[in-house]
Every structure is written in structure tokens, then in C-alpha cells.
Amino acid sequence: MKDAKPFPVLKNDNLLRAARGEVVDRVPVWVMRQAGRYLPEFQELRKQHDFFTVCRTPELACEVTMQPLRRFDLDASIIFSDILVIPQALGITVEMHAGVGPVLPQPIKVPEDLKRLTPDGALSRLSYVGDAITMMRHKLEGRVPLIGFTGAPWTLMGYMIEGGGSKTMSKAKAWLTEYPEDSKLFLSLLTDSIVDYLEMQVKAGAQMLQVFESSAEHLSKEDFLQWGVPYLKRIRDELVDRLTKKAIPVVPMTLFAKGAGHSLKEQSELGYDVIGLDWTVDPIEARNLVGPNITLQGNLDPQDMYRGADELRDLTTEMVHKFGKSRYIANLGHGITPQTPITSMEVLVEAVHKAL
Ligand code: CP3
């Protein structure tokens, strides 16, 4: 360990308590993409530095991670990075184009291209994320927990085949039917890298982990159960196994499978502590499906952040009332969008804390 200094003692542990089903002082709230373009200070910093330079420079990643905490009374921080750092570490070029999003100029088109991937040494090429996490734990001074994250196998496979975001993920879906065996190999290879990566994040100081299966929305229930779930289960099982063998405490884990509200029961049986919900899911129905021993996270429509303060306050309060104070982490149902007014974040956070 480079930085052997003990981490500061955690003061606000409501997020971790909620994840473990313990009593909380207040409903914890954080927001997916809480560090991002809706903040002028983020935009300012991005004018000087390329997106992946920010990710790769621990001082910059920590500065951006800290930005939302300076403004809002949030109950968690999430390390600034991107899910596409794993494809990069596997030898695939990823560029961030303004107004477009991620672009992978040399995508994986056919099974033969899988030979281009370089899983050996991938973890060492991601060490900058560990460095940023360790630095951030110190900079946080125990104020709130630090969440680490990864993309899930199907979601990463999708970006790597499509060469970027896609409205349909049709090329990636075509792989599942045209090259089922190679698809399994691809997903397995990604799963292995993800487990290594999450273990490294925990060793570096991540206090909770979230797995983003953002592209679950493109799969039918049957396909999600075949191409998403087994690998999501492997991630959880293998990580717990590895940490336990090394006597490293297991941290709570969240699965956020956007658009997979059709499989909440199945998701709740994978060993994750927290299931993230998008806004298409009704909180009460979700609770009935997952039972009492899973924590739910979510799920306000990010678009509701564009409503007037009174309406937003009412919607947030109603949401918290539906979920209740136990086993609940308030969040949006997906990432906050770039034009969101800053005052909406203030209203959201305050309304969550005041609701119960
Ligand atoms: O939540 C946080 O504050 C941590 C930061 C974070 C980013 N990306 C920073 C980012 C997290 C958790 C992610 C995860 C991520 N990245 C996901 C999963 C979550 C989700 O939204 O479904 C996905 C699919 C990606 C891939 C990705 N990165 C896309 C599709 C885009 C473009 C979309 C957009 O908002 O422009 C990015 C770019 C990105 N990642 C930005 C940020 C702040 C904006 C780019 C910029 O600064 O120029």
C-alpha cells in the first residue's frame, strides 16, 4: 500500500446503514452523476482538461468528486470516473466527444476482434482509479462514504461493439444471436476484469460499490436473464469470495439495471444488498417483489428536476413516503442531466431529509 495512513473515521454512515438494513438518522440521498456538467465549476475545469485526463489525474478526479459535496448536503460521494475505463484498460481507444458522448473508433466488430483485447495487465492500467479513491478517502475527512463503481458486462460489451452509445444496441444484440458462444466468452472476459477492478477499489478504500447495467433496457426479460444476470451474479459471488479469503471486509453492493424492472425478484436473489430502480417502477410494487431484506435505491424521474420547486418538493416527499425510512436510499432513477438547475438539487436533498 502506497498510502498506509489510516482513513479518517466516518461521521455520516447513513448510506451504509441503509444498505445493511440498519436504523438511519435520516434517509440518505445522493444522485447518479452528481459530479457533472450541470455544475458550472465542473464545466470550468473541463475547459482546461480532457475528460479522461480528469479521470486519470487523482487530484483532478478528487476535485470533481468534491464539487457537489461543497454545494449540497449529500450523504454519499461517488468517485469521478467512467464505466468505459475498463474497455480502455483492455486496449480499446475511448474518446469523449463534446455533445456526442463516448466514441470507440475501433470497435469489436467480429469475434476475431476479441483477440485485440489485453486482459493481462489491465488491472495495473487502472491503478489511477485506486489512487484517486485512496486520496479521496483522506480528502473526505470521514464526512460521507465513498462509492466506487463499474459498468456491468453486457453494458460494456454493448459500448465496445457499437463503438459508442446506441439507441438500439442492435449490433451488440445481433452478437447474442449470431455468435452466442463468443458472446459468452466476451461477457466472461469482462466479468473477470470487473471482479479484479472492484477488488482493487475496495482495497483502495471504496466503502460501497455500484454496478451499472445501464443497457439492460435494451434486453427482453428473457435476454436479461440469459445475458445479464449470470454475470452479475458471478461478479457478486466472486468478489465476496476473494475478499473473504483475504480477510478484507465485504462492502455493500448496489445493482442498478436500468430498464430491468421486469426482473426485480430475480435481481433481488443475486446477493446484492441494494437494488437501484429507474423511474418506471412503482416503489410499493418494487418492495412487494423484492421482499423486506433488500434495500431499494432511486427513483425520481431526472426530468422532474426541471419542474418548479414546489412540484419537485411534493414529488420527492411523495416518493420518500412510498419507500419509507427503512432500507431506502433516495436518488434519481438515472443520471442527472446537464441542464438541471442547481436549485433543484437543493430542493431534492432538503425534501428527502425533511420527508420523514
Ligand atoms: O456519478 C458520478 O458523479 C460519477 C461519475 C460518472 C460518470 N460516468 C462521469 C461522466 C459515472 C458514475 C458514470 C457512469 C457511466 N458512464 C455510465 C453508467 C451510468 C449511466 O448513466 O447509465 C455510462 C453508460 C457511461 C458512459 C458515458 N460516459 C456516457 C454514455 C457518456 C455521455 C453521456 C453524457 O452525459 O454526456 C459519458 C460521459 C460522462 N461520464 C460525463 C460525465 C460527467 C459527461 C462528459 C463530459 O464531461 O464531457
Side-chain angles (χ1 to χ4, degrees):
M1 283 252 167
K2 261 180 277 170
D3 198 338
K5 231 175 28 175
F7 290 130
V9 174
L10 186 57
K11 294 168 200 147
N12 174 355
D13 64 350
N14 285 299
L15 178 85
L16 304 181
R17 289 176 161 280
R20 297 193 201 104
E22 297 166 6
V23 173
V24 292
D25 306 327
R26 64 184 193 185
V27 170
V29 55
W30 68 281
V31 169
M32 289 187 272
R33 298 272 179 98
Q34 64 191 25
R37 283 168 300 174
Y38 74 104
L39 290 173
E41 56 270 35
F42 176 83
Q43 305 242 26
E44 208 41 54
L45 189 134
R46 279 279 284 111
K47 277 189 207 153
Q48 340 260 319
H49 308 279
D50 164 77
F51 179 81
F52 285 110
T53 303
V54 180
C55 297
R56 290 171 172 276
T57 314
E59 286 79 8
L60 295 176
C62 287
E63 164 57 23
V64 170
T65 304
M66 197 62 94
Q67 285 175 348
L69 298 175
R70 292 199 190 105
R71 282 184 184 264
F72 315 114
D73 187 14
L74 295 158
D75 297 284
S77 58
I78 177 163
I79 195 66
F80 189 80
S81 184
D82 198 82
I83 62 166
L84 298 174
V85 297
I86 288 188
Q88 274 182 341
L90 291 171
I92 300 294
T93 302
V94 184
E95 298 159 1
M96 201 56 79
H97 293 191
V100 179
V103 175
L104 292 69
Q106 283 112 32
I108 301 290
K109 288 190 175 147
V110 289
E112 182 73 9
D113 292 335
L114 292 174
K115 294 197 183 115
R116 281 169 35 213
L117 301 180
T118 55
D120 289 345
L123 188 61
S124 65
R125 287 187 286 278
L126 289 164
S127 62
Y128 63 88
V129 178
D131 295 342
I133 286 174
T134 303
M135 184 183 283
M136 193 62 203
R137 276 294 300 275
H138 289 290
K139 286 192 190 278
L140 277 167
E141 296 175 341
R143 192 172 137 192
V144 291
L146 178 61
I147 304 170
F149 70 91
T150 182
W154 158 248
T155 296
L156 293 182
M157 175 179 164
Y159 278 93
M160 292 167 85
I161 292 174
E162 299 286 341
S166 157
K167 283 207 166 71
T168 56
M169 288 281 158
S170 61
K171 294 191 189 99
K173 286 171 75 173
W175 261 63
L176 303 178
T177 49
E178 283 173 37
Y179 317 120
E181 290 310 313
D182 295 295
S183 294
K184 284 182 209 161
L185 284 176
F186 196 173
L187 291 165
S188 251
L189 180 150
L190 290 167
T191 302
D192 292 340
S193 293
I194 288 165
V195 174
D196 287 346
Y197 182 48
L198 292 179
E199 181 189 352
M200 182 270 274
Q201 292 189 42
V202 173
K203 286 182 182 159
Q207 291 156 293
M208 191 160 169
L209 296 170
Q210 178 154 325
V211 179
F212 285 94
E213 185 71 288
S214 305
S215 300
E217 62 188 355
H218 298 289
L219 298 177
S220 67
K221 174 168 180 166
E222 204 186 343
D223 281 344
F224 176 65
L225 296 182
Q226 182 175 356
W227 301 105
V229 159
Y231 305 94
L232 293 165
K233 178 158 171 50
R234 256 186 64 198
I235 289 169
R236 169 71 195 181
D237 289 350
E238 288 180 21
L239 184 65
V240 169
D241 197 50
R242 280 206 211 172
L243 295 173
T244 309
K245 281 195 178 122
K246 293 178 187 169
I248 300 168
V250 177
V251 303
M253 278 176 85
T254 302
L255 168 59
F256 174 60
K258 181 165 187 286
H262 46 59
S263 307
L264 291 177
K265 179 139 179 49
E266 290 84 351
Q267 289 182 53
S268 75
E269 290 162 355
L270 302 179
Y272 289 79
D273 308 87
V274 183
I275 301 296
L277 305 174
D278 64 49
W279 64 94
T280 66
V281 176
D282 178 73
I284 293 165
E285 285 175 26
R287 173 55 70 200
N288 287 336
L289 283 166
V290 305
N293 299 324
I294 294 277
T295 298
L296 293 172
Q297 173 174 280
N299 72 341
L300 198 76
D301 185 343
Q303 188 64 30
D304 288 337
M305 298 291 269
Y306 294 88
R307 293 178 188 248
D310 289 343
E311 250 184 301
L312 174 58
R313 197 176 297 112
D314 290 349
L315 286 165
T316 305
T317 308
E318 193 188 331
M319 167 180 82
V320 178
H321 285 170
K322 280 192 183 174
F323 280 106
K325 195 169 180 175
S326 133
R327 278 210 177 268
Y328 175 52
I329 298 164
N331 204 314
L332 301 182
H334 197 198
I336 187 168
T337 57
Q339 313 301 327
T340 301
I342 284 170
T343 48
S344 291
M345 274 291 275
E346 292 163 357
V347 170
L348 173 84
V349 171
E350 193 188 72
V352 169
H353 288 154
K354 282 192 173 163
L356 291 171

